[in-house]
């Protein structure tokens, strides 16, 4: 009988421990990167409540466009790298490369348009913060990475 009570208590303790671990990970889950970036941008630009709403709409629209561009880019890159067989002409490769370049141009133009839309919702007092905002975005999109040292065997 004592063994049965021991196993019951042990089961209950382990169950509570498992539930508490799951709750810990659910409650302390870090915010999504996009949400953190938007929060940081709102702080940098010193946006009002109405501006925050408008900014969030602009961000969602921009992300939707960029997701579409990235999906098309992935398809074009797959096509390009599958053109490696001998029957492919240079003209076909150049055509796909031109489409990739055009897509990159559209991505840059879309981002420029997004920055202008953000500029439109800012007051004259907030405009000086726009440069810092753009620099932060560029630093996130193209971080400066140092090349790691090669392994000792390759020196």
């Amino acid at each position: 009988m004592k063994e049965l009570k021991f196993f019951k208590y042990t089961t209950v303790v382990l169950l509570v421990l498992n539930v508490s671990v799951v709750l810990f990970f659910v409650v302390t889950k870090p915010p999504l990167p996009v949400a953190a970036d938007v929060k940081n941008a709102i702080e940098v630009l010193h946006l009002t409540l109405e501006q925050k709403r408008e900014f969030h709409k602009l961000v969602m629209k921009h992300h939707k466009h960029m997701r579409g561009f990235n999906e098309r880019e992935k398809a074009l890159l797959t096509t390009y790298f599958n053109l490696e067989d001998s029957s492919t002409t240079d003209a076909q490769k150049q055509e796909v490369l031109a489409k990739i370049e055009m897509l990159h141009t559209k991505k840059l133009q879309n981002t420029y348009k997004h920055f202008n839309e953000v500029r439109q919702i800012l007051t004259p007092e907030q405009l000086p913060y726009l440069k810092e905002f753009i620099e932060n975005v560029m630093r996130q999109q193209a971080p400066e990475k140092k090349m790691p040292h090669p392994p000792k065997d390759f020196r």
Side-chain angles (χ1 to χ4, degrees):
M1 194 70 171
K2 288 183 180 183
E3 288 181 10
L4 186 59
K5 279 186 175 182
F6 171 75
F7 287 121
K8 282 183 181 179
Y9 289 132
T10 305
T11 304
V12 169
V13 168
L14 289 175
L15 180 65
V16 168
L17 184 63
N18 282 333
V19 169
S20 62
V21 167
V22 169
L23 284 174
F24 172 77
F25 285 114
V26 169
V27 171
T28 61
K29 185 174 75 172
L32 295 174
V34 172
D37 293 345
V38 169
K39 184 179 178 185
N40 184 35
I42 289 170
E43 290 172 3
V44 167
L45 293 171
H46 304 284
L47 299 179
T48 64
L49 186 60
E50 183 59 36
Q51 288 173 321
K52 288 178 188 178
R53 289 186 191 120
E54 187 63 30
F55 181 75
H56 192 266
K57 289 177 190 175
L58 292 173
V59 168
M60 289 294 120
K61 184 175 100 173
H62 180 67
H63 281 290
K64 181 180 175 185
H65 286 267
M66 295 307 281
R67 228 181 352 261
F69 288 136
N70 290 337
E71 288 170 7
R72 282 182 263 157
E73 180 181 31
K74 183 178 178 181
L76 284 170
L77 288 173
T78 301
T79 301
Y80 180 74
F81 290 119
N82 287 333
L83 291 176
E84 290 303 314
D85 62 19
S86 59
S87 64
T88 305
T89 65
D90 283 340
Q92 290 171 319
K93 289 179 183 178
Q94 290 302 318
E95 181 181 339
V96 175
L97 279 176
K99 288 180 182 178
I100 293 170
E101 288 177 15
M102 179 69 75
L103 189 60
H104 278 278
T105 301
K106 287 181 181 180
K107 285 171 75 171
L108 289 172
Q109 289 170 341
N110 186 278
T111 301
Y112 184 82
K113 179 181 169 190
H114 172 67
F115 288 147
N116 278 334
E117 289 171 343
V118 170
R119 178 180 283 123
Q120 296 301 316
I121 66 169
L122 297 178
T123 63
E125 295 82 25
Q126 294 168 323
L127 284 176
Y129 304 119
L130 185 64
K131 182 178 180 182
E132 181 182 350
F133 164 70
I134 292 173
E135 288 173 357
N136 288 344
V137 171
M138 292 300 109
R139 194 171 24 258
Q140 290 170 356
Q141 296 302 317
E144 296 177 19
K145 293 185 180 177
K146 293 182 180 178
M147 294 297 293
H149 294 291
K152 289 181 181 179
D153 297 344
F154 294 105
R155 288 184 188 176

